[in-house]
Amino acid sequence: MTEPENRCRLVLIVADIADADEQAKIVADALKGGDVASVIVPQYGLDDGTFQKHAEKLVPLIQDAGAAALIAGDSRVAGRAKADGLHLSGNAEALSEAIDKHAPKLIVGGGNAADRHHALEIGEVRPDYIFFGKLDGDIKPEAHPKNLALGEWWASMIEIPCIVMGGTDPASALAVAETGAEFVAMRLAVFAEPARAPSVVAEINALLDEKAPRFED
């Protein structure tokens, strides 16, 4: 699979599915649809032991598909499941501690960047990426205008890559790409109808191939 290096790429956020085997099958199918840069695995309401089991099923299949597996929140689960990285939604201090402890062995990124001030604080600790939005923030068809604005501002002036949360409509990926953001995160847009997940991933990639702006080297 050739990676489209010079345009916005897709990041998947695993949907909240209680059955670990079913969740793993749906994610594996989605990854057959085309290019995915990374997959973020949130804990949702699972207890630590159950989350560990889910992570151990998901991480190898995400990696086999050529994507980076990022565990949200729990560095112990990330370590045990041999994930590629850790996604944190805390403040700059929490990110800084995790970077000191786990980078460069693990990718460490995320942040609670609700405005420019907090985004710049997060940028100062040099995470691998910054995330605009919430992992479950896809509540409308379109991406949240505030996140699009933050992504555009950030991408225009700061080299640390950003991921912007998309909406529930697969077409919202293009609005994110047009901000100059390196990555668009999708959750319900891909997983709301599990049987369609691979074709939606293919559709998003085709849309980005055709219409997303290209980055300058």
Side-chain angles (χ1 to χ4, degrees), residues 66 131 167:
F131 189 95

Side-chain angles (χ1 to χ4, degrees), residues 3-18:
E3 292 181 7
E5 289 295 332
N6 65 339
R7 64 144 172 90
C8 182
R9 293 179 68 197
L10 179 59
V11 169
L12 294 181
I13 297 170
V14 176
D16 186 1
I17 298 163

